[in-house]
Amino acid sequence: MQPKNSPAKPSLLIAFGGNALETPESSNRQRDEFFAARRSIREVAGLIKNGYGKIVLTHGNGPQVGRIFLQQELTKNEFPRQVTLDVCVADSQGRIGYILQNVFDSVCAELGVNKKCYAVITQAVVDPGDPAFQNPDKPIGVFYSAEDAERLARERGWVLREDAGRGYRRMVPSPKPLEIVEKNLFQNLLDQGFIVIGAGGGGIPVFRDASGGLSHGVEAVIDKDRASALLAGEIGIDCFVMLTAVDYAYLDYNSPRQSPIKSATAEEMETYMELGHFLEGSMKPKVESAIQFVRSGGKRAIIANLNDLLPALEGKTGTQIVPD
Ligand code: ADP
Ligand code: MG
């Protein structure tokens, strides 16, 4: 069947959470990551069959970038050149982009869907004056002893912090993205009818120099939902969907009073956020991103379970966030 390009269908940016590529703990086979991706990509191909044409896919990279960073730490005596974190993020975008692009082709062939997708290595501009650089609060990589932590801080200028009695971990800043460098490329590829994969792991953080050019990558990580909301706004996406491990954003999460938020305006979500209903580093950035998106011209943002993509788009489940 040929996909219909019905003008009635909204353009979409779908952000896959870390669970989209999750493989069983016991899995040692690279192929399993392809199988895991297959489930999510089938859902997307299903949407294309339903007439959705303009789709951007973004994804997290937490476990992948953690492993890339760890492999390098374990082989640092053999390969002493320190690969900086921006390059680790780029590596993770490459490997995840490849898996998604490969699986997309295979699933489309299987389902008779005539679409191509491309993965775009994506950089996001951040501000050197962002307060996150004064307060690195995102832990990455392995645990170190107090002596190793002291030495790494001295030798490499890292910030390390004790983590709940389990040892010391490297802490990196998580600044706000200001601009997606490749936004016009996303727009052009969409206009030409391609599905576009990008902003992996929130994008590679970079500084712009005074002349407006890009200076260099930065040792930081960006929340993928924040980068996704920014990109969706910049390229005029109608509907921004964040797929994750829970069915809704909840009030009083994990308490006996827990209740799902089925539909809310940006202002209502802001009130819930100020009352502390959403945890830092997980649900809070999703809610902030949803608010930012609908206030930058987006029509609807959705937070839903990874398995509920179509029903969530139909408004049957998930937290539906609309402009004020
Ligand atoms: P992702 O990889 O999808 O970004 P995160 O772990 O960053 O996943 O965010 C989703 C998680 O947020 C949920 O699995 C849940 O544990 C947590 N969470 C925190 N507060 C809430 C809330 N109020 N409602 C629902 N989930 C919440
Ligand atoms: Mg997250």
Side-chain angles (χ1 to χ4, degrees):
M1 189 190 117
Q2 293 298 306
K4 298 182 288 290
N5 249 333
S6 155
K9 299 288 187 195
S11 55
L12 306 176
L13 185 145
I14 304 169
F16 287 111
N19 58 333
L21 289 173
E22 221 161 73
T23 52
E25 192 97 13
S26 57
S27 154
N28 280 323
R29 297 184 318 160
Q30 183 65 63
R31 291 296 306 165
D32 287 345
E33 286 193 20
F34 290 75
F35 288 125
R38 230 176 158 79
R39 211 183 27 177
S40 304
I41 294 298
R42 273 174 176 280
E43 302 272 327
V44 175
L47 291 185
I48 299 169
K49 280 203 145 183
N50 269 285
Y52 287 88
K54 283 198 165 182
I55 307 177
V56 175
L57 306 176
T58 66
H59 56 84
N61 72 343
Q64 290 83 3
V65 81
R67 282 198 297 272
I68 291 167
F69 186 71
L70 172 60
Q71 279 173 344
Q72 171 194 303
E73 279 301 289
L74 295 174
T75 55
K76 63 174 182 272
N77 296 329
E78 288 78 14
F79 305 105
R81 187 206 298 177
Q82 179 62 28
V83 181
T84 51
L85 193 53
D86 53 319
V87 177
C88 293
V89 175
D91 283 352
S92 76
Q93 287 187 351
R95 73 164 68 181
I96 300 170
Y98 156 55
I99 293 174
L100 295 176
Q101 200 171 300
N102 176 280
V103 168
F104 186 88
D105 251 20
S106 154
V107 166
C108 285
E110 184 186 288
L111 300 181
V113 171
N114 182 22
K115 271 280 184 194
K116 290 279 169 213
C117 85
Y118 286 115
V120 173
I121 297 291
T122 311
Q123 306 171 83
V125 177
V126 297
D127 177 2
D130 191 305
F133 289 105
Q134 302 309 314
N135 176 33
D137 64 354
K138 181 95 186 155
I140 61 158
V142 285
F143 292 93
Y144 299 98
S145 68
E147 303 79 70
D148 283 346
E150 189 274 325
R151 184 180 49 77
L152 288 164
R154 190 165 22 85
E155 287 177 0
R156 298 187 185 178
W158 289 2
V159 175
L160 295 104
R161 199 172 296 155
E162 244 254 286
D163 189 335
R166 293 180 295 175
Y168 288 76
R169 274 180 105 185
R170 183 179 180 193
M171 306 295 286
V172 297
S174 186
K176 287 206 163 72
L178 302 179
E179 182 201 336
I180 301 295
V181 176
E182 293 78 9
K183 60 178 182 288
N184 293 335
L185 181 57
F186 280 87
Q187 185 82 71
N188 292 341
L189 287 168
L190 277 182
D191 289 346
Q192 290 174 51
F194 298 107
I195 305 296
V196 198
I197 298 166
I204 305 159
V206 291
F207 288 152
R208 269 205 196 288
D209 64 22
S211 68
L214 294 177
S215 42
H216 54 79
V218 188
E219 295 237 59
V221 293
I222 299 172
D223 186 275
K224 68 115 182 18
D225 295 314
R226 288 189 206 284
S228 299
L230 175 65
L231 174 63
E234 285 176 329
I235 61 176
I237 291 287
D238 297 316
C239 179
F240 168 34
V241 192
M242 286 167 269
L243 294 178
T244 187
V246 286
D247 294 347
Y248 295 92
Y250 293 92
L251 298 176
D252 300 307
Y253 180 62
N254 259 347
S255 91
R257 289 186 313 281
Q258 171 174 310
S259 69
I261 305 167
K262 295 197 169 162
S263 171
T265 62
E267 197 177 341
E268 286 166 337
M269 288 307 271
E270 203 163 45
T271 306
Y272 299 145
M273 188 165 74
E274 281 159 9
L275 290 170
H277 285 283
F278 313 120
L279 289 186
E280 298 283 346
S282 60
M283 190 49 73
K284 193 170 167 196
K286 287 188 202 302
V287 171
E288 282 175 335
S289 301
I291 294 170
Q292 181 194 324
F293 173 69
V294 297
R295 287 190 175 157
S296 69
K299 297 194 176 92
R300 190 160 56 120
I302 305 173
I303 299 168
N305 192 298
L306 178 66
N307 302 316
D308 289 339
L309 178 53
L310 188 57
L313 279 172
E314 291 170 339
K316 292 177 184 156
T317 184
T319 298
Q320 311 273 333
I321 300 139
V322 291
D324 296 316

